[in-house]
Amino acid sequence: MALPVLSSSAVKFRRVLAHFPQELSLAFAYGSGVFRQAGASAEHGETNMLDFVFAVDDAVTWHMMNLLKNRSHYSFLKFFGPKKINTIQRYGAGIYYNTLVPCNGRVIKYGVISTDALIEDLFHWKTLYVAGRLQKPVKILAQNENSKLQAALVSNLKSAVTAAFLMLPESFSEEDLYMQIAGLSYSGDFRMIIGEDKSKVQNIVKPNIAHFQKLYSTILQDCPQVVYKHHLGRLEASIDKSPEGQFSQLMALPKTLQQKITALVNPPGKNRDVEEILLQVAHDPDCGFLVHQGRSG
C-alpha cells in the first residue's frame, strides 16, 4: 500500500524542492501553509511559513552538497562543516532544521532527517516527532522506491489507528477517530494542556476531513472492527473492548509506547516481561487512560 498523494496543486512546493540537492528518499510539506486550518483565512495560508521535511540516505553528503548550493541557509554551524551538522542532527528527534529561509518569494523552514532515523521513528515511535506529522495529512513531493520506508509509513498509520481505538469508547464517529489521531503527537506537550489542545486539534481536523479520509480509508476498510461506508464518507465502528481484544491491540502498538505503558504499571524492581504487563493492562478498566498516559509520558 502506497501513501496516497493528496490532491491540489503541488507546483509551488516542487519549485521550492528544485533549490535543493535531489538525493531525497522522501520529501513532504506540512502544516498551515499547506492545509487550511479552521479560523484562518485563505490569505493567511498564502503568507504562512512553508514547512518541509527532507529524508536523506546519506546526511553528511547531502549537507555537503546543500552547503555548496545554499550556504546562507545555515547558522554559524556552516563553518564547522557537514560532519558536525550531521552530528548535531542526530540529537533529540534526529532532525536538523534550517529556518526563516527566503525561497521563491516565501519564507520556508526545512528539516533534514536520515532515512534510517525516520524509519525507526515510524515503526517504533521513538520520539513521534516526524512520525506524528505523518499521521496527519501532508503533501508528499518526492519519494523513492525504498520498500522498508514504504512499509514504515504504512505501519505508522496503522499504529495511530490502533492507539486511537484503545483510547476511544466502543462506538465513535469518524471525526472522533481523526481527532484522536491528530492529538496523538500533542499529548504531553505543555502548550496543549491549558485548554488549547482540543481547539487546535479541531482546527486541524475539521477543514481537512476529506484529506484524513484519503489517508486512512484503505486501513479502515481492511479493519474488521469498522464498517467504512466510503460512499457516505463515514464509518461505523464497534471496537472490541474485551480484555482479549484490548490485549491484541496493545501488542500491536509501537515498541516505545508499549515500554512507556509498562513503566506506568510495573513497580520498580519487579522483573516481568512486556507481554505479561500488557495482559494486566488489557484487563484494567482504565486501559485507554493508561495508553493516553503512556503517550503523554
Side-chain angles (χ1 to χ4, degrees), residues 1 37 54 71 74 77 90 95 102 123 174 179 280:
M1 173 192 153
Q37 294 191 6
F54 303 149
R71 191 171 177 82
Y74 290 82
L77 288 171
R90 288 205 199 108
I95 189 164
F123 273 129
E174 186 171 18
M179 287 277 291
Q280 176 192 328

Side-chain angles (χ1 to χ4, degrees), residues 263-284:
L264 290 169
V265 296
N266 195 36
K270 220 173 173 192
N271 206 7
R272 296 188 296 160
D273 65 29
V274 169
E275 193 168 333
E276 183 188 349
I277 299 163
L278 291 180
L279 186 58
Q280 176 192 328
V281 172
H283 282 80
D284 193 316

Side-chain angles (χ1 to χ4, degrees), residues 51-242:
D51 299 309
F52 297 87
V53 167
F54 303 149
V56 301
D57 290 343
D58 181 344
V60 174
T61 300
W62 194 91
H63 283 299
M64 181 179 71
M65 292 190 295
N66 199 41
L67 280 163
L68 291 172
K69 284 174 77 89
N70 299 304
R71 191 171 177 82
S72 64
H73 294 184
Y74 290 82
S75 67
F76 67 93
L77 288 171
K78 60 176 164 274
F79 299 111
F80 295 97
K83 286 186 180 175
K84 185 67 175 177
I85 292 167
N86 182 54
T87 300
I88 288 163
Q89 180 179 306
R90 288 205 199 108
Y91 286 105
I95 189 164
Y96 175 89
Y97 270 101
N98 282 328
T99 190
L100 297 175
V101 173
C103 187
N104 281 11
R106 296 290 294 268
V107 176
I108 72 166
K109 79 172 188 221
Y110 61 95
V112 182
I113 186 169
S114 79
T115 307
D116 287 344
L118 175 58
I119 287 170
E120 174 82 4
D121 197 34
L122 291 165
F123 273 129
H124 303 304
W125 290 7
K126 190 175 176 185
T127 69
L128 202 59
Y129 187 81
V130 180
R133 279 157 177 71
L134 285 161
Q135 289 163 359
K136 296 181 275 290
V138 302
K139 195 169 292 296
I140 303 286
L141 303 172
Q143 187 173 357
N144 69 10
E145 295 297 315
N146 183 327
S147 59
K148 190 173 181 185
L149 175 57
Q150 190 60 57
L153 288 162
V154 175
S155 173
N156 180 46
L157 298 181
K158 288 180 176 176
S159 296
V161 170
T162 301
F165 281 176
L166 281 159
M167 290 187 283
L168 285 161
E170 193 172 354
S171 297
F172 50 85
S173 70
E174 186 171 18
E175 188 177 305
D176 291 337
L177 174 63
Y178 300 144
M179 287 277 291
Q180 195 68 253
I181 288 171
L184 279 170
S185 53
Y186 291 122
S187 299
D189 182 335
F190 74 94
R191 293 168 302 169
M192 310 305 296
I193 293 166
I194 52 172
E196 187 192 341
D197 56 344
K198 189 163 186 184
S199 61
K200 176 151 189 173
V201 172
Q202 275 179 333
N203 289 347
I204 292 167
V205 172
K206 280 184 177 291
N208 294 300
I209 289 283
H211 291 309
F212 276 92
Q213 286 174 332
K214 189 164 186 180
L215 195 55
Y216 286 98
S217 63
T218 303
I219 289 168
L220 294 173
Q221 283 165 4
D222 291 343
C223 179
Q225 296 172 315
V226 171
V227 178
Y228 192 72
K229 300 188 173 176
H230 190 62
H231 60 293
L232 298 175
R234 79 166 189 267
L235 57 83
E236 291 177 4
S238 182
I239 304 305
D240 184 358
K241 291 291 179 180
S242 70

Side-chain angles (χ1 to χ4, degrees), residues 23-45:
E23 289 72 10
L24 303 167
S25 59
L26 181 72
F28 65 89
Y30 68 94
S32 58
V34 184
F35 296 101
R36 194 172 68 82
Q37 294 191 6
S41 66
E43 293 78 21
H44 185 59

